[in-house]
Each structure stands twice: as C-alpha cells, then as structure tokens.
Amino acid sequence: MTFVVLGLGSNRPWQGMTSVALLAKAVRALGEVLHGIICSSVYKTRAMYMEAQDDFYNMVVAGFVDDSVSPYDLLAATQYIESSLGRDRSVEYRNGPRSIDIDIELFGTRHMKAADLEIPHPRIAERAFVLVPLLEILQTSADSIESAPYARMLDACGSDGVTTYLDANAFRQLV
C-alpha cells in the first residue's frame, strides 16, 4: 500500500450543490480509490494567482492506494471524479473558478516530473491552503511522513487568508 495525499478545492457551486457539498461528494467518490481515508478540516481561503474570483473551500485527504495503482491511475481517477462533479477543463481559465479540483500532492516517497504530472506537487511550498490542512492530518496519521519540512514551508509562505470553515469532525458527518 502507498500513502497518498490529495488536495481538494472548490469555489463554484454546481447543480445546486455548494462547494462544501461538492467536497463531501468528492471524498465519498475517493473512498472507492483510497483505503483508510483521513480528512482535514475545510478551510476558506482567498484565491491565489487569479484573485478576482470567489474564495475557495480547501481541504486535504490522505489514504492508501494498492501498490498496483500508479500515479497516472490515481490521476485518471481524480480527473474522472472532477468531471462527474461538473469540472470541464476545456471551458475554464487556468487557476480560475471551478466546481472541484483534486490535486495529487504526495504519492508515497515518489518523485516524478512529467509534462502532465509532477509529484510532489510543484507548488506545494507556496500553498498555505494545502500546507495548513496537510499539517493537520499528519498530526493524526499513522503514516511516517515527517511534518517538519512542511511546517518550514508554511513558515516561509505564511498562513494569512486561510481560516477554518468547518472542522474535520463536522465535515465527516457530511460524508
């Protein structure tokens, strides 16, 4: 089994579902792919890169995939879930509003750099909206990922604009 960490975000409702409801639905769907899912709290964060849009609701989930699952298999599964929840990359702007976004942040100890997939996520060090919930779940995870490097990254980028919206226990009740 390989321990993976995924970052989830949403800032656009879809088919009457709020961003938080979309996150809950995505986590339920990820339950078909990940074993032993751990969910962070949901954080409300200001948009980065393209700031003229609604705030995002972000979280991190972690769990295990079978050793037979490759990073590309996981990418295909996450993109399928995104599509099923209204994401259409062909009509959206890069870093713009979206119903759901699921990024592979970590895939075990794997490092890879390809045109369509980079692990660890190439912008993890600048994203407090990933680092804050990541550090939250690493505190409760039985996995041996060392949290100190991520804490240093968060110290460097700061956590301004990242506020708890819904704690992990309350979110789990939605899933």
Side-chain angles (χ1 to χ4, degrees):
M1 300 287 263
T2 303
F3 187 73
V4 299
V5 176
L6 306 175
L8 284 71
S10 174
N11 76 333
R12 193 185 73 204
W14 180 71
Q15 290 192 345
M17 287 182 278
T18 66
S19 289
V20 173
L22 287 162
L23 291 171
K25 197 159 184 154
V27 169
R28 281 193 295 277
L30 287 167
E32 299 296 317
V33 180
L34 301 178
H35 307 285
I37 291 181
I38 301 168
C39 297
S40 74
S41 299
V42 176
Y43 294 86
K44 189 172 183 179
T45 62
R46 291 190 305 257
M48 287 182 72
Y49 314 117
M50 180 188 249
E51 296 177 7
Q53 60 181 308
D54 292 338
D55 289 343
F56 275 85
Y57 295 87
N58 293 101
M59 66 182 302
V60 165
V61 299
F64 294 89
V65 292
D66 294 326
D67 288 334
S68 63
V69 175
S70 75
Y72 282 106
D73 294 335
L74 182 58
L75 179 64
T78 60
Q79 288 182 343
Y80 175 80
I81 293 167
E82 287 176 340
S83 176
S84 75
L85 295 176
R87 180 138 193 211
D88 183 353
R89 292 172 189 271
S90 70
V91 297
E92 64 185 38
Y93 297 100
R94 180 167 169 76
N95 299 315
R98 61 203 83 126
S99 58
I100 194 75
D101 183 37
I102 306 172
D103 289 333
I104 301 171
E105 304 295 341
L106 304 171
F107 193 97
T109 58
R110 188 103 179 236
H111 285 69
M112 64 179 284
K113 188 172 185 174
D116 54 351
L117 182 59
E118 201 168 331
I119 299 173
H121 194 285
R123 289 176 298 285
I124 192 170
E126 66 191 43
R127 293 179 165 182
F129 63 84
V130 171
L131 294 168
V132 170
L134 174 61
L135 288 166
E136 176 190 337
I137 64 167
L138 288 182
Q139 292 175 17
T140 61
S141 171
D143 193 73
S144 61
I145 292 179
E146 172 60 43
S147 63
Y150 304 106
R152 285 192 295 276
M153 288 177 195
L154 182 59
D155 286 344
C157 73
S159 60
D160 291 347
V162 178
T163 58
T164 304
Y165 178 78
L166 187 64
D167 73 40
N169 291 327
F171 178 77
R172 274 192 283 277
Q173 293 177 359
L174 299 175
V175 178

